[in-house]
Amino acid sequence: MQCDYFDAGRCRSCALMGVPYAVQLAEKHERCQQALAAVAPDVTWLEPFASRESAFRNKAKLVVGGRAGAVTLGILDPQLGGVDLRACGLHEEPLQRLIPRLADVVDEIGLEPYDVAARRGELKHLILTLSPTGEVMLRLVLRSRKHLALLQSRLPRLLEHLSEVRVVSVNLQPEHKAVLEGSTEVVLTEQSMLEMPVNDVTLNLRPNSFFQTNTVVAAGLYRQARDWALEVRPDTVLDLYCGVGGFALHCATDGQGAPRRVLGVEVSPEAVLSAELSADRFWAASPRAVDLSFRTGDATDVSALEPTVLGDGTSMVVVNPPRRGIGADLAAWIERSGADHVTYSSCNVDSLARDLARMPSYVARQARLHDMFPQTTHHEVIVLLQRESLSLTEQPVYRGAQR
């Protein structure tokens, strides 16, 4: 990938810019293999799941700088001034076409950019999420409610000029610190969710729900988890850190070997509401009865995970934690839980290695790198673990990677 911003020294966010993509992928794969070598010596590494090297991001997180009527959308320079990156080639092409028009609309409305150095102004960030349908969610992060009435009055104009946008919300982040968004969200449009079709599952995103940044690679990640679930055929799947239900819904997908019960646990009430809506639609379309449910809770609060949560039959625990990993307490709970298999999806292979060492009763059978973030050293690794005590007759035959 070639980037004029990188070549001009205006943006260095992509540390691997200029490195051939095949080399990037091979080096990430080797890095992950080395990190897990000691804790997973016999794991079978599947072929890395590659991404497009450009135009792969479904989300744009844009710092607003400049001045009212002449905003910049991009990042801040070392002096905290705005650097305009509205033509960034990492974003999917529909976003690349939308962002310059969005900048024009912000200028026309007269929203005042937040000046970090002076600690004054209102508009801090613009966050865009693109669905495979072509529809977009737009979130405006403001310091206060000062511009809220103005935005509400100009909403018809905004939607007229930005026809792709279906959901518009304001997030209030009043604090002067490096935090992208606050806890208060005000939805301005009648539509409050963005549909995200992924494989044969439609997920639903509310404004502050998490979704993977690379839709194509996320689809591959979910398919890998589903393939493993269909191979090991658990009666129960417990999806911790379930978010909007991506793993849970894919593991509940109809097919021979689908589990009887799937439970997702997520700390964000908004994400749980999104997952429940997706589950309602899944039930309506599914000819098989699957006990599919979600509940709000902290995945690391093991006191809330009652011993009966995995049921009496075979079971699989799915975890997709933040960079810090699942930690000692949850690893210990899984270790004593009796779960037959664990599917662990990690964005930090080092914390993954620490957590695997905390679960000595499990053996890593297969692992696969999913390259969510080309041009950077970031990575996503998914690993299938099997309880070592399973007899040979209980062990499934792993068929390997499917695209």
Side-chain angles (χ1 to χ4, degrees):
M1 176 182 172
Q2 187 274 333
C3 176
D4 292 339
Y5 296 130
F6 186 88
D7 293 343
R10 297 180 65 187
C11 177
R12 294 288 176 173
S13 300
C14 294
L16 301 183
M17 186 66 67
V19 177
Y21 183 63
V23 175
Q24 293 184 33
L25 195 62
E27 290 182 347
K28 288 183 186 182
H29 193 216
E30 182 179 3
R31 156 96 167 86
C32 293
Q33 287 178 309
Q34 291 177 350
L36 297 186
V39 292
D42 299 319
V43 69
T44 298
W45 282 91
L46 305 179
E47 176 188 359
F49 193 104
S51 170
R52 296 191 299 264
E53 62 180 286
S54 62
F56 61 85
R57 287 185 63 97
N58 59 35
K59 182 174 289 187
K61 299 179 180 179
L62 305 167
V63 179
V64 182
R67 55 182 175 78
V71 300
T72 62
L73 301 183
I75 59 174
L76 297 179
D77 63 22
Q79 291 73 44
L80 303 180
V83 177
D84 197 271
L85 304 176
R86 67 183 68 185
C88 175
L90 297 185
H91 301 130
E92 289 194 52
E93 291 180 0
L95 289 182
Q96 292 185 38
R97 295 191 294 269
L98 173 62
I99 291 170
R101 290 185 286 124
L102 175 59
D104 291 341
V105 170
V106 171
D107 281 337
E108 179 185 322
I109 294 176
L111 299 177
E112 180 187 5
Y114 182 70
D115 186 328
V116 176
R119 300 194 178 194
R120 64 170 179 263
E122 289 297 320
L123 181 58
K124 294 184 171 184
H125 302 96
L126 296 173
I127 305 173
L128 297 162
T129 303
L130 172 70
S131 166
T133 65
E135 296 184 342
V136 173
M137 177 186 294
L138 167 62
R139 302 173 65 209
L140 300 96
V141 181
L142 301 178
R143 184 177 66 89
S144 73
R145 295 178 178 268
K146 177 181 177 181
H147 283 333
L148 189 55
L150 174 62
L151 278 168
Q152 289 171 324
S153 67
R154 299 296 180 87
L155 184 62
R157 182 73 169 168
L158 183 151
L159 295 175
E160 178 185 353
H161 282 276
L162 309 175
S163 59
E164 310 96 317
V165 175
R166 292 291 185 273
V167 181
V168 180
S169 68
V170 166
N171 179 273
L172 298 177
Q173 207 298 76
E175 299 182 79
H176 180 80
K177 60 183 182 180
V179 175
L180 181 64
E181 58 192 79
S183 59
T184 301
E185 196 87 21
V186 181
V187 179
L188 303 183
T189 48
E190 182 177 349
Q191 183 172 327
S192 62
M193 288 192 183
L194 184 70
E195 289 191 347
M196 297 285 290
V198 182
N199 300 314
D200 53 357
V201 171
T202 297
L203 302 174
N204 293 272
L205 302 187
R206 297 173 73 86
N208 49 3
S209 297
F210 170 78
F211 184 74
Q212 298 284 4
T213 301
N214 190 323
T215 303
V216 172
V217 179
L221 187 72
Y222 293 143
R223 288 198 302 272
Q224 186 64 71
R226 178 172 62 187
D227 289 344
W228 285 339
L230 290 175
E231 287 175 4
V232 305
R233 300 187 180 187
D235 295 311
T236 298
V237 172
L238 174 62
D239 182 7
L240 302 176
Y241 310 93
C242 72
V244 296
F247 283 109
L249 286 157
H250 278 80
C251 288
T253 299
D254 293 334
Q256 186 178 4
R260 293 196 304 263
R261 178 172 180 257
V262 179
L263 170 63
V265 178
E266 166 60 40
V267 72
S268 167
E270 292 292 301
V272 170
L273 287 173
S274 300
E276 289 174 338
L277 175 60
S278 300
D280 289 342
R281 294 178 177 178
F282 174 86
W283 280 320
S286 175
R288 285 192 68 213
V290 177
D291 181 1
L292 175 61
S293 60
F294 297 90
R295 73 185 189 195
T296 303
D298 185 347
T300 62
D301 182 10
V302 296
S303 63
L305 297 174
E306 62 272 14
T308 59
V309 71
L310 294 179
D312 296 328
T314 60
S315 56
M316 170 183 279
V317 176
V318 178
V319 291
N320 182 29
R323 289 187 58 80
R324 63 180 178 271
I326 64 174
D329 290 345
L330 182 54
W333 183 88
I334 294 173
E335 175 72 9
R336 63 178 183 267
S337 70
D340 300 281
H341 292 88
V342 177
T343 295
Y344 192 137
S345 182
S346 169
C347 61
N348 182 354
V349 72
D350 297 318
S351 61
L352 170 62
R354 290 194 297 270
D355 288 335
L356 295 190
R358 293 166 171 148
M359 297 186 289
S361 295
Y362 290 93
V363 177
R365 294 301 186 192
Q366 290 190 346
R368 193 176 191 186
L369 166 69
H370 286 71
D371 191 18
M372 290 280 182
F373 310 103
Q375 316 307 330
T376 77
T377 59
H378 297 297
H379 51 264
E380 187 84 19
V381 182
I382 188 168
V383 181
L384 175 64
L385 308 174
Q386 177 183 289
R387 186 169 287 276
E388 195 170 20
S389 60
L390 287 182
S391 69
L392 290 176
T393 58
E394 295 174 305
Q395 294 180 14
V397 178
Y398 302 110
R399 293 189 291 272
Q402 297 184 24
R403 298 293 289 188

